[in-house]
Amino acid sequence: MTLHDTSYWKNKATQLSLQDKAYIDGKFVPAQDGGVLAVIDPSTGATLAQVADCQQADVDLAVAAARRAYESGVWSGLHPRERGQRLLALSALIQRDIEEFALLETLNVGKPITESLMFDLPEAIKTYAWYGEAIDKIYDEIAPTGSNALATVTREPLGVIAAVVPWNYPLLMASWKIAPALVSGNCVVVKPSELTPLSLLKLSSLMDEAGIPAGVFNVVPGTGPVAGQALGLHNDVDCLTFTGSTATGKRFMEYSGQSNLKRVWLECGGKSPHIVFDDCPDLDKAAMAAAVGITSNQGEVCIAGSRLYVQEGIYDDFMKRVSRCVQNIRPGDPLDPNTVMGAIVDERQMNKVLSYIESGKNEGATLRLGGQRVRAETGGYYIEPTIFDCPSDQLSIVNEEIFGPVLSARRFNTEEEVIACANDSIYGLGAGLWTANLGRAHRVSRKLRAGLVWVNCFFDSDITVPFGGVKQSGSGRDKSLHALDKYTDLKTSWFNLDASN
Ligand code: NAD
């Protein structure tokens, strides 16, 4: 993959033609009332596009199109291998347009172009290809009955799936839902975050070319309280799959109860503990992982290692190493391929992060590094990586999800103590630990209440393994074959083989 230079990307940005309409029933259409929402570039604060602001009526059209497509069998009736082939075609088309997609993600989210090109896009491309390749290799079940009966347990698509997704990885988070939902025969309506609809609208423009029929895939850009709520409350949506904050996730459970009891799958917030024992096999590697764990994607990562626990004997030395790594990570122009940390997604999120930094200072934490808005002269929303030494866990910066580059570090003495601290959270998404002791590695990873545990690494993952959390971090899992469980129902068919029939 060629990274090019800043001028290449700036020039390419001037030539982009942005899709700004909703995608419903195979066509790009404005919102019926003509309403639009401004979408900005967080690296400058400039407006990038005015995108259709879908209302209830637009959501109704999209759900009706998805329902028609589903009932017609034009998609669900295809041989699984054929659906798989079309996902493979979609994957190849994203690969063909990878630079344009990467540029859209960078311009709209503020993330470094290198990250978009080397992570978001390759992972999205892999996601469509992996589910496309997998679907014709999965068998259903025959139950162990007596010889006078045959009982089959088959997986069936649910029908119309609505996906409501966040702004931090707009294409990737959606793809983790779209690919398994589509490949198992469902039709899909996606609502991107109001902040970042551009890459999913670009994805829509490839559907026809990939052979995905009209109505099978729809995108309704709009706000959460309007378009998101309309999907959550819709009586003709069979399943609502969500990634976003815990507060919004709770609303979707309420919407389901108030409407048709649709399935709700939630991938919500996190506050991942990152634990370094004094027998850590490689302190420099762990320090770099701690630095990357809080600065990657500007800290706007659900699994960010935002609570660092370091054993007493190595605390001072280890924190010096982390600080050295973090000092080298400076926010910069997202279109510069050397930039590793870009802009915060918008002014509101930047102010939220800055107010957490103030609360850390006021609540008794010691600011070790960072803490300031930088590059304000660009008009963009940049915050330098920030580290606090914390005297206890009773601080908002330790307990609440900040979703920015703010690390809280604390000392601990014993294994039991750190397990209790790590688990003392409403969240249970990711957790990491570093130790050379195999027994401790197994013991602690079993006791950590989290959906993902990393041992002697952090963030490592693959499409082959499930991704998701416990407690208020959510339910269900994205990625891996287990994601198919969310978008299919089991049907039992009992065939009486009695000779008298
Ligand atoms: P958010 O909850 O504000 O928004 C997520 C989506 O929900 C958006 O599309 C938004 O428009 C919609 N929404 C907002 N309010 C709504 C309402 N009242 N009714 C219906 N829909 C509504 O979250 P965000 O700020 O976009 O994303 C950040 C959050 O996402 C963080 O909490 C982060 O941890 C979480 N996240 C989780 C994962 C995971 O896999 N667990 C991955 C990425 C992000």
Side-chain angles (χ1 to χ4, degrees):
M1 177 55 55
T2 314
L3 293 175
H4 304 292
D5 59 11
T6 314
S7 61
Y8 175 89
W9 293 109
K10 290 213 186 285
N11 185 40
K12 201 171 169 68
T14 62
Q15 293 161 10
L16 270 182
S17 76
L18 301 177
Q19 185 48 258
D20 55 10
K21 308 273 191 304
Y23 184 69
I24 298 175
D25 207 8
K27 296 184 204 64
F28 285 103
V29 291
Q32 290 179 71
D33 69 358
V36 289
L37 274 171
V39 168
I40 62 145
D41 172 352
S43 73
T44 60
T47 299
L48 279 173
Q50 303 282 350
V51 173
D53 180 11
C54 289
Q55 308 290 310
Q56 171 89 50
D58 306 296
V59 167
D60 287 345
L61 280 183
V63 173
R67 174 60 60 194
R68 271 195 312 278
Y70 181 71
E71 298 299 341
S72 74
V74 67
W75 183 248
S76 60
L78 288 181
H79 191 294
R81 187 178 307 129
E82 184 56 40
R83 287 199 301 270
Q85 290 299 326
R86 296 184 195 197
L87 259 70
L88 284 162
L90 183 60
S91 173
L93 290 169
I94 304 171
Q95 179 71 56
R96 181 195 70 190
D97 294 352
I98 186 169
E99 288 193 354
E100 198 178 323
F101 272 107
L103 193 51
L104 287 173
E105 290 301 58
T106 288
L107 290 174
N108 203 177
V109 183
K111 65 174 73 198
I113 188 72
T114 304
E115 188 160 334
S116 300
L117 268 180
M118 306 300 278
F119 178 71
D120 296 47
L121 265 299
E123 291 301 312
I125 290 164
K126 203 189 298 170
T127 300
Y128 292 101
W130 193 80
Y131 284 104
E133 286 161 358
I135 195 65
D136 65 348
K137 295 159 193 77
I138 298 168
Y139 291 71
D140 287 321
E141 299 167 22
I142 295 177
T145 57
S147 60
N148 61 342
L150 173 73
T152 60
V153 183
T154 50
R155 279 173 187 273
E156 302 204 333
L158 297 178
V160 175
I161 311 285
V164 177
V165 291
W167 46 259
N168 60 341
Y169 294 91
L171 180 67
L172 184 58
M173 292 300 106
S175 299
W176 286 355
K177 301 179 188 311
I178 296 165
L182 282 183
V183 85
S184 43
N186 300 284
C187 295
V188 175
V189 180
V190 186
K191 194 205 82 65
S193 164
E194 46 274 59
L195 302 181
T196 55
L198 298 178
S199 54
L200 283 169
L201 292 173
K202 160 80 186 157
L203 183 74
S204 308
S205 72
L206 303 180
M207 290 292 160
D208 188 40
E209 206 176 342
I212 295 173
V216 171
F217 179 78
N218 307 271
V219 178
V220 284
T223 66
V226 177
Q229 175 168 305
L231 285 169
L233 287 170
H234 209 292
N235 280 315
D236 208 20
V237 166
D238 298 295
C239 166
L240 191 301
T241 178
F242 169 76
T243 298
S245 64
T246 294
T248 309
K250 289 181 181 184
R251 286 180 188 269
F252 277 106
M253 297 199 93
E254 290 175 18
Y255 298 152
S256 170
Q258 288 162 20
S259 55
N260 60 343
L261 217 56
K262 59 180 68 63
R263 301 285 159 82
V264 177
W265 300 111
L266 303 174
E267 303 289 340
C268 298
K271 191 76 189 176
S272 302
H274 195 171
I275 303 166
V276 186
F277 287 99
D278 59 11
D279 63 351
C280 169
D282 186 337
L283 287 174
D284 284 325
K285 201 168 158 201
M288 181 53 86
V292 171
I294 196 62
T295 55
S296 179
N297 211 47
Q298 301 69 247
E300 298 161 325
V301 184
C302 53
I303 49 174
S306 48
R307 290 188 288 150
L308 183 62
Y309 292 98
V310 185
Q311 204 156 15
E312 176 65 44
I314 59 166
Y315 186 89
D316 295 326
D317 172 39
F318 186 75
M319 290 311 296
K320 277 188 200 141
R321 293 175 200 241
V322 176
S323 302
R324 273 201 298 275
C325 297
V326 168
Q327 268 159 349
N328 292 328
I329 300 173
R330 308 305 304 162
D333 181 350
L335 290 180
D336 178 347
N338 296 313
T339 294
V340 291
M341 191 174 158
I344 301 292
V345 74
D346 70 355
E347 188 171 17
R348 189 163 147 241
Q349 181 66 13
M350 176 186 72
N351 288 336
K352 179 179 160 197
V353 176
L354 290 172
S355 78
Y356 269 112
I357 292 172
E358 281 314 301
S359 86
K361 292 181 201 162
N362 296 336
E363 290 178 13
T366 306
L367 183 66
R368 178 183 278 266
L369 205 68
Q372 299 295 322
R373 178 181 184 184
V374 289
R375 296 172 58 83
E377 71 286 357
T378 61
Y381 313 118
Y382 300 87
I383 298 181
E384 52 186 354
T386 300
I387 304 179
F388 281 105
D389 294 282
C390 295
S392 80
D393 277 355
Q394 311 313 312
L395 282 75
S396 345
I397 55 166
V398 181
N399 290 310
E400 295 170 24
E401 185 183 44
I402 301 174
F403 223 55
V406 182
L407 178 66
S408 319
R410 252 203 78 193
R411 300 163 191 270
F412 72 91
N413 286 298
T414 66
E415 190 178 304
E416 293 68 30
E417 176 196 353
V418 79
I419 291 169
C421 291
N423 288 340
D424 185 16
S425 169
I426 62 164
Y427 299 112
L429 191 51
L433 67 120
W434 296 76
T435 177
N437 179 325
L438 191 60
R440 171 186 277 160
H442 281 272
R443 204 165 49 238
V444 177
S445 60
R446 281 183 180 219
K447 287 187 179 162
L448 288 170
R449 293 201 59 206
L452 304 147
V453 177
W454 295 280
V455 179
N456 296 336
C457 59
F458 203 80
F459 279 167
D460 294 29
S461 190
D462 189 66
I463 186 67
T464 51
V465 291
F467 185 102
V470 300
K471 299 195 273 182
Q472 293 188 40
S473 288
S475 59
R477 295 292 181 266
D478 282 336
K479 301 168 66 181
S480 84
L481 294 181
H482 293 285
L484 298 172
D485 297 341
K486 298 200 294 190
Y487 308 118
T488 51
D489 252 340
L490 295 179
K491 174 180 278 180
T492 298
S493 305
W494 189 279
F495 300 88
N496 181 353
L497 304 182
D498 200 313
S500 63
N501 279 326

